[in-house]
């Protein structure tokens, strides 16, 4: 019989290791590799976090933060589960609903943790290639959901930033069989155009097999504290809660949630800044003739030759995420930083790629990641 190490290693044989975004060699602002919030949380949240340190000898009491977050999102606390980063929710879903013989549906490429959690649970993956604009092929995905147990659907998607059209999304949700859970991951919802944000209360009211996943790592700027949450029918929330380790959201994070629920103005200001800088970067990429996906998130993914750009980026202290990490070699995912950092990045892009005038907008059909002309 195989030893412990062999058995453990065998279990994760097909699970790719997670490679976090590399830090900047210079100032932290140069780290454009992990889709973090450049400005950080509001002064009120920082003060609440500092104050919470005085009581870390106590186990967390989640009630007040749960109520505050539920009020903030406009749902009852019985419809909401808080998790240790929204990634924990992926593992809870996979633990409960996936396993050997079960199938998980996802885009290709997908958000890596969706694949990892599914594989760890022993499920097999049914991958549906993205469309040429970086969006999900919802028609093909609906077909793929027949016989599947879970479909993972980030919108806006990571790694492309494309968002589903709300009407097409509603059609898709109506088509998915009721024995397949739809996980609509809205990690980047706050950065999308308001008309592209789905009517979540309406969708949840009409479908018991829908779970909406969100994170406080992006617009709330709490990535390091690890908070996410799920919205679903109370019975599903209850099942997920039983599978969750009891204190997976720590007391410092809970204090940040309570203070953060009252920091809407700060968030609106940060999000507006990110959206403006995103447009500037997209315009620059278009001017340079670099192909990119129109993004609804806090990053832009573009066809960029990092071997060529590397020295200029390194000299400017800027680090982006190589597409090879995300299953799209030849591309790069650039998180949106604060304005001075983005000016530095654009200067580096112009210095190496020089201005040309061909169009940078995507075509139609299904995405072929490997046969794109290089910049
Ligand atoms: C689509 C998507 N979902 C979930 C997450 C995870 O967020 P969290 O930090 O809450 O685990 C990310 C983080 O980058 C993401 O891109």
């Amino acid at each position: 019989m195989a030893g412990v190490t062999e058995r453990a290693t065998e279990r994760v044989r097909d699970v790719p290791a997670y490679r976090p975004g590399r830090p900047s060699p210079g100032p932290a602002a140069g780290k454009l590799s992990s889709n973090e919030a450049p400005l950080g949380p509001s002064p009120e949240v920082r003060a609440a976090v500092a104050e919470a340190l005085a009581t870390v000898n106590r186990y967390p009491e989640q009630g007040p933060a749960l109520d505050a977050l539920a009020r903030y999102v406009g749902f009852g606390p019985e419809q909401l589960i808080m998790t240790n980063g929204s990634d924990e929710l992926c593992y809870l879903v996979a633990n409960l609903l996936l396993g050997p013989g079960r199938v998980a549906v996802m885009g290709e490429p997908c958000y890596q943790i969706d694949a990892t959690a599914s594989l760890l649970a022993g499920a097999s993956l049914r991958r549906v290639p993205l469309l040429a604009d970086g969006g999900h092929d919802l028609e093909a995905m609906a077909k793929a959901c027949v016989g599947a147990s879970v479909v993972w659907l980030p919108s806006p998607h990571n790694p492309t930033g494309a968002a589903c059209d709300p009407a097409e999304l509603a059609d898709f949700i109506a088509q998915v069989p009721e024995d397949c859970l739809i996980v609509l991951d809205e990690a980047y919802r706050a950065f999308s155009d308001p008309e592209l944000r789905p009517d979540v209360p309406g969708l949840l009211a009409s479908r018991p097999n829908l779970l909406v996943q969100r994170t406080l790592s992006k617009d709330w700027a709490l990535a390091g504290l690890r908070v996410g949450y799920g919205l679903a029918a109370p019975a599903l929330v209850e099942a997920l809660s039983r599978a969750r380790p009891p204190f997976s959201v720590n007391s410092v994070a809970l204090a940040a949630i309570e203070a953060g629920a009252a920091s809407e103005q700060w968030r609106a200001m940060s999000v507006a800044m990110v959206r403006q800088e995103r447009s500037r970067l997209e315009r620059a990429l278009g001017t340079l003739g670099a192909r990119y996906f129109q993004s609804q998130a806090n990053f832009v993914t573009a066809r960029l030759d990092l071997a060529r750009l590397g020295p200029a980026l390194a000299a400017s202290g800027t680090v982006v995420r190589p597409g090879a990490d995300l299953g799209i070699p030849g591309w790069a995912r650039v998180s949106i930083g604060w304005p001075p950092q983005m000016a530095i990045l654009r200067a580096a892009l112009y210095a190496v790629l020089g201005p040309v005038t061909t169009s940078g907008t995507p075509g139609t059909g299904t995405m072929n990641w490997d046969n794109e002309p290089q910049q």
Side-chain angles (χ1 to χ4, degrees), residues 34-35 84-88 111 154 156-158 185 187-188 213-218 223 226-228:
S34 295
N35 302 341
N84 185 259
S86 69
D87 283 348
E88 188 186 29
Y111 174 55
H157 193 41
N158 182 4
D185 179 353
Y188 302 101
Q213 175 181 336
R214 293 194 186 151
T215 177
L216 304 193
S217 296
K218 311 299 176 182
R226 313 300 304 123
V227 192

Side-chain angles (χ1 to χ4, degrees), residues 228-246:
Y229 64 97
L231 300 168
L236 182 56
V237 166
E238 171 62 19
L240 290 163
S241 302
R242 285 204 214 171
R244 194 195 73 156

Side-chain angles (χ1 to χ4, degrees), residues 132-221:
D133 64 1
H136 288 287
D137 185 344
L138 291 177
E139 254 182 70
M141 279 187 108
K143 290 191 184 114
C145 285
V146 176
S149 297
V150 172
V151 53
W152 304 102
L153 189 74
S155 178
H157 193 41
N158 182 4
T160 62
C164 299
D165 170 79
E168 289 171 17
L169 178 69
D171 279 355
F172 165 79
I173 289 173
Q175 282 175 57
V176 174
E178 287 210 2
D179 56 357
C180 176
L181 178 71
I182 303 151
V183 183
L184 174 62
D185 179 353
E186 297 197 303
Y188 302 101
R189 177 184 173 98
F191 304 100
S192 64
D193 299 342
E195 65 274 16
L196 289 177
R197 297 178 195 163
D199 164 27
V200 165
L203 292 173
L204 280 172
S206 65
R207 299 295 290 191
N209 58 328
L210 176 65
L211 170 67
V212 174
Q213 175 181 336
R214 293 194 186 151
T215 177
L216 304 193
S217 296
K218 311 299 176 182
D219 55 319
W220 282 55

